[in-house]
Amino acid sequence: MFKINENYLKLPGSYLFSAIGRKVAAYSQAHPDKKIIRLGIGDVTQPLAPAIIEALHGAVEEMGKAETFHGYAPDQGYEFLRSVIARQDYQDRGCQIAADEIFVSDGAKCDSGNIQEIFSLDNRIAVCDPVYPVYVDSNAMAGRTGSYDAGTGTWSNVIYMPCSMENGFVPSLPEEKPDMIYLCFPNNPTGATITRAQLQEWVDYAIRTGAVILYDAAYEAYISERDVPHSIYECQGARNCAIELRSFSKNAGFTGVRLGFTVVPRDLKCGDVRLHDLWARRHGTKYNGAPYIVQRAGWAVYSEAGRQQLQEQVAYYMENASTIYKGLTEAGYTVSGGINAPYIWLKTPGNMTSWEFFDCLLEQVGVVGTPGSGFGPSGEGYFRLTAFGSHENTAEALDRMKKLTF
Ligand SMILES: *Cc1c(COP(=O)(O)O)cnc(C)c1O
């Protein structure tokens, strides 16, 4: 008789987006004439940039001719893509990362969920609270997180690092000693960033204690301030303690195209074992490479035209971020994020819970956001709005929010 992986049964239901969906459906049924504005889910809305479309068309044509047809891609990714990533994302910023330390994949969600496989089940993980749920759930499925307490919304064997207004949404070094530390900056959901000096403290801590840092830099393209690092490898010693995850989803609108990569430096070792070798083995065994067509599209992201067009796309979203940030601040809200990230994180007014504010916003003015408590216990009393809508909808949502009464 087969048995299942019982770790799956310990997972709490993925309550957040299904609960939002249910409430929005009920509202639109009750008010079929009202237009709902969705600033909830973190998905982009602008179409792919012309340089990317052109590269996609070109690659499709190549696939139709015997001379230029491509079958299985190399499992680490095509050299043309890895070398342009290494040069533009790393070497041009003074980071010593080589093309063969880059593993191309179909996105950062998969990589951030899969990376835990190369580590022992004895490792203890530390995560920010609130957090992108993939880090915790993937470790829970593997059996690394202990038991779940529905009352507190926490796992017994996870070190939670609270991020609140008091610490500027940057976690303090934990008192208990973790083996694997997940950091994401610019952060989803809080929109917060870490300075280079603060990140250096984390790198020093990891080296001192023998921990590994799993650094999710999916929102790197949104950084506007100078002292905010674009990569953890801007910190001294990070090659010895950090893996970095990147995505094409938020900088280039690839949420439906699918492309990302993970950097595993050759210096990162456990004893004499290189994590690079383990990840290469894992990748080669379980993954057959991102599609040629998509890697060509990824390559166009780094072309001169692509870079120019994508800067404009990011600027478009950041104008929304600024509209939301300014509008809410003027309306008396306590607001953070929105400067180096497409997320605005606001304190719910009048001590409302995150869900109370959600209901109030939906029912009074038909605007949908995401309750902070869905990202972890420290998210209670906060609310996330995204800058990924259109200018028109974002401006209208703000006008409506100014009419809210509590
Ligand atoms: C959107 C997002 C990603 C990217 O996921 P993809 O699978 O590449 O689309 C990764 N990490 C965080 C925190 C995100 O918000």
Side-chain angles (χ1 to χ4, degrees), residues 140-158:
M141 289 169 176
R144 213 176 268 113
T145 55
S147 53
Y148 186 71
D149 179 344
T152 58
T154 58
W155 293 88
S156 60
N157 198 35
V158 172

Side-chain angles (χ1 to χ4, degrees), residues 169 189-193 318 321 325 335-346:
F169 305 100
T190 68
T193 46
M318 288 312 277
Y325 190 101
V335 192
S336 63
I339 293 169
N340 299 289
Y343 295 116
I344 281 81
W345 190 244
L346 58 111

Side-chain angles (χ1 to χ4, degrees), residues 29 82 96 102 109 124 145 163 219 253 294 301 309 360 373:
Q29 206 161 38
R82 287 184 293 109
Q96 299 307 309
I102 290 161
K109 184 179 193 175
R124 212 154 168 225
T145 55
C163 296
Y219 295 95
V294 172
V301 166
Q309 291 161 11
C360 173
S373 54

Side-chain angles (χ1 to χ4, degrees), residues 107-109 132 135 184 188 216 218-219 247 249-250 258-259 343:
K109 184 179 193 175
Y132 180 60
Y135 315 146
C184 172
N188 177 12
D216 185 338
Y219 295 95
S247 167
S249 287
K250 314 298 167 34
R258 310 305 308 142
L259 194 66
Y343 295 116

Side-chain angles (χ1 to χ4, degrees), residues 48-60 62-63 70 78 80-82 84-85 88 104-105 247-249 251-261 290-307 309-310 313:
L48 294 173
I52 294 163
I53 291 296
E54 194 183 323
L56 283 167
H57 279 300
V60 167
E62 285 184 73
M63 294 297 268
H70 287 76
Y78 283 102
F80 66 77
L81 180 59
R82 287 184 293 109
V84 75
I85 291 171
Q88 290 192 27
V104 175
S105 73
S247 167
F248 288 73
S249 287
N251 64 330
F254 277 41
T255 52
V257 177
R258 310 305 308 142
L259 194 66
F261 62 89
Y292 173 73
I293 295 168
V294 172
Q295 293 196 53
R296 272 290 167 211
W299 179 72
V301 166
Y302 294 87
S303 67
E304 210 170 298
R307 284 204 317 251
Q309 291 161 11
L310 293 173
Q313 205 168 78

